[in-house]
Amino acid sequence: EVQLLESGGGLAQPGKSLRVSCRASGFTFSGYGMSWVRQAPGKGLEWVSAISGGGGGTYYADSVKGRFTISRDNANNTLILQMDSLRVDDTAVYYCTKETSMVHTSFDFWGQGTLVTVSS
Amino acid sequence: DIQMSQSPSSLSASVGDRVTITCRASQSIDRYLNWYQHKPGKAPKLLIYAASSLHSGVPSRFSGRGSGTDFTLTLSSVQAEDFATYYCQQSYSFPWTFGQGTQVEIK
């Protein structure tokens, strides 16, 4: 059974940093791309960042480019999102997602999410 | 960036109704279009991928159609457990983008 368990959310001040992680199980982690998707309070879903199975390819939404860094530790089945220079509008529930391996990529499994609150 | 636009933003339906949600892309995305269901406090769920392929375990009352810029998600007979927000999402090119969502409410 595929499981994705996020951790590391919490309260941070504007301009500070926070790191969220996602521990994966139930599938061959290194064989799949992974993404972070977020939902701000009262808003819709927003794709944040993606990383290829081997970690060599990384992609970012314009809203986080230059501030967030996605990485993965395939030895420990862990996906990481390092968030620097946080802004109030980064406040959201952050979901870890597993991507399908097909040509038509989709997010076939999602974690329960971790809440990140940016406030002074 | 490719913009995704859904309509309507919300709708009210009764159990048993047929419901159709539309998603339009700002440029052609071939069939790189996915649909998700999201309930408050829960993880979103994949319903449809590649515009019309039903994800494993999803009831057959859900169906998707379209290609290029215009897509639809249809619920042939809405059930009580289907009341949720639905999102389309393109995976044609980065940055991947979602529609703004369509909330399906009980009439």
Side-chain angles (χ1 to χ4, degrees):
Chain A
E1 178 192 7
V2 172
Q3 291 192 337
L4 301 171
L5 185 61
E6 301 97 339
S7 61
L11 177 64
Q13 294 181 324
K16 299 298 187 181
S17 298
L18 203 62
R19 185 168 111 151
V20 291
S21 300
C22 171
R23 185 66 187 264
S25 61
F27 64 102
T28 304
F29 184 66
S30 61
Y32 293 88
M34 300 289 292
S35 276
W36 290 98
V37 175
R38 69 184 180 183
Q39 184 179 38
K43 304 292 186 181
L45 299 176
E46 178 189 18
W47 173 80
V48 173
S49 183
I51 187 167
S52 60
T58 57
Y59 311 88
Y60 299 93
D62 293 342
S63 58
V64 307
K65 197 174 297 183
R67 300 187 300 119
F68 289 12
T69 303
I70 191 171
S71 61
R72 63 192 298 158
D73 177 355
N74 285 345
N76 290 296
N77 292 351
T78 301
L79 177 70
I80 298 160
L81 185 67
Q82 176 67 39
M83 301 182 289
D84 299 323
S85 303
L86 281 163
R87 308 193 298 222
V88 171
D89 62 1
D90 293 319
T91 295
V93 174
Y94 285 74
Y95 294 100
C96 167
T97 74
K98 170 188 169 291
E99 299 169 16
T100 57
S101 61
M102 296 176 286
V103 171
H104 293 268
T105 304
S106 59
F107 311 126
D108 58 351
F109 289 94
W110 298 62
Q112 289 300 310
T114 187
L115 177 62
V116 171
T117 302
V118 184
S119 174
S120 55
Chain B
D1 298 1
I2 298 174
Q3 309 302 317
M4 306 301 294
S5 178
Q6 289 181 233
S7 63
S9 296
S10 64
L11 64 91
S12 296
S14 300
V15 172
D17 284 354
R18 181 181 181 89
V19 166
T20 297
I21 298 168
T22 297
C23 177
R24 176 164 289 174
S26 60
Q27 66 183 73
S28 177
I29 58 170
D30 192 1
R31 295 175 61 82
Y32 289 80
L33 191 284
N34 308 308
W35 289 98
Y36 301 88
Q37 177 193 68
H38 192 198
K39 297 180 180 180
K42 301 287 189 180
K45 292 182 178 180
L46 175 65
L47 298 173
I48 302 283
Y49 63 93
S52 61
S53 296
L54 200 66
H55 181 54
S56 176
V58 175
S60 59
R61 63 180 178 272
F62 291 92
S63 64
R65 295 187 64 179
S67 66
T69 61
D70 295 315
F71 303 86
T72 58
L73 173 70
T74 298
L75 288 71
S76 60
S77 177
V78 172
Q79 301 301 300
E81 61 267 30
D82 300 336
F83 293 99
T85 301
Y86 293 84
Y87 295 90
C88 62
Q89 177 250 331
Q90 65 84 14
S91 59
Y92 181 81
S93 66
F94 287 107
W96 292 335
T97 44
F98 287 88
Q100 81 277 16
T102 295
Q103 187 172 9
V104 177
E105 301 172 314
I106 300 173
K107 185 181 289 184

